Amino acid sequence: MSNKLSVPKATMQRYPIYLKALRKLQSMGVDRILSRELSLFVDIESTTIRRDFSFVGSLGKQGYGYDVANLIETFDELLGVNFDEKIVLVGAGNLGRAILNYNRWNHVVGEIVCAFDVDPKKQGVASDIPIYHMSELEEKIPKGCRIAILTVSHNIQETVDHLVDLGIVGIVDFSSEHIQVPKHVTIKTVDVVSTLQELIFQANSIE
């Protein structure tokens, strides 16, 4: 969408919240919704919702509200979201299994469909999701899979290189290690320690 770059960052960060809510509403049989009704659902002021929606065109009519299906289609295009995205998890240790247990991104993105680990003892099924040995990665990775969650602590760069070779273009990285990837691959690092440091700094600054 051509106006994507003109949307403020704070607004873009709220669009996935709206999309999740709208998909849930659609699953509940809701066809249209007023901004004040959506406001109660997402806990965002209705004036903010109307302003956010205005960046992507005239999506609603006063008194009629917004067409839920139209909103979902608009935000899908804007965010590039694929509801059926097949995600793989690499690393089925404590953190990896916690993520498998959580695997509840319904109405937002796709889902984790399988996991991989180097430890043969971790093979099997966890939270109804199959866990394969890393040696089976090339054979078992879903066709068209683009996204991986990385929770391994050893051979990280080597693992990433292998994932990229198999078509992965987006990685959520929990390793907190510097990783090099080609320009077409995006890495989103989840660094709990850095986040805690930032929070502590902010807490200290207001004392």
Side-chain angles (χ1 to χ4, degrees):
M1 189 171 290
S2 61
N3 61 349
K4 181 175 180 178
L5 295 179
S6 66
V7 179
K9 182 178 180 181
T11 295
M12 284 296 295
Q13 290 173 338
R14 286 190 290 269
Y15 283 163
I17 298 173
Y18 300 139
L19 182 56
K20 178 179 181 179
L22 289 164
R23 280 186 168 144
K24 186 171 184 179
L25 287 164
Q26 188 180 56
S27 73
M28 295 163 57
V30 177
D31 295 324
R32 71 173 188 260
I33 192 167
L34 299 170
S35 59
R36 66 173 180 269
E37 295 171 334
L38 184 57
S39 173
L40 295 173
F41 206 73
V42 297
D43 196 26
I44 297 173
E45 292 289 338
S46 58
T47 52
T48 300
I49 291 174
R50 290 194 294 270
R51 184 173 65 248
D52 287 349
F53 286 8
S54 71
F55 286 104
V56 288
S58 301
L59 300 177
K61 297 179 181 179
Q62 189 172 2
Y64 175 85
Y66 299 96
D67 183 281
V68 171
N70 182 43
L71 283 176
I72 291 173
E73 182 180 354
T74 299
F75 289 131
D76 272 346
E77 180 183 353
L78 184 67
L79 299 171
V81 170
N82 181 357
F83 182 52
D84 297 320
E85 195 78 54
K86 292 179 173 59
I87 304 167
V88 296
L89 174 77
V90 182
N94 292 335
L95 176 57
R97 284 177 178 261
I99 293 173
L100 290 180
N101 289 335
Y102 178 75
N103 197 16
R104 299 188 197 122
W105 297 303
N106 55 323
H107 312 302
V108 189
V109 290
E111 62 179 354
I112 299 172
V113 294
C114 62
F116 299 89
D117 199 280
V118 294
D119 186 353
K121 296 178 182 177
K122 292 187 172 68
Q123 292 183 58
V125 176
S127 301
D128 297 323
I129 300 168
I131 302 174
Y132 305 111
H133 192 269
M134 278 296 295
S135 61
E136 299 181 273
L137 182 61
E138 188 169 350
E139 175 188 350
K140 297 294 187 179
I141 193 168
K143 184 178 180 181
C145 180
R146 306 180 302 166
I147 308 297
I149 299 174
L150 189 68
T151 64
V152 297
S153 55
H154 302 288
N155 301 321
I156 298 169
Q157 184 65 58
E158 179 184 343
T159 301
V160 169
D161 292 343
H162 195 182
L163 288 169
V164 172
D165 288 343
L166 293 175
I168 295 296
V169 296
I171 297 172
V172 179
D173 172 37
F174 285 86
S175 72
S176 300
E177 183 171 307
H178 177 67
I179 298 170
Q180 292 181 305
V181 293
K183 289 184 178 179
H184 73 280
V185 177
T186 300
I187 291 185
K188 295 293 184 181
T189 300
V190 181
D191 191 335
V192 177
V193 173
S194 293
T195 301
L196 285 171
Q197 288 174 333
E198 182 180 345
L199 285 172
I200 291 169
F201 174 79
Q202 291 175 344
N204 290 338
S205 67
I206 60 176
E207 288 182 352

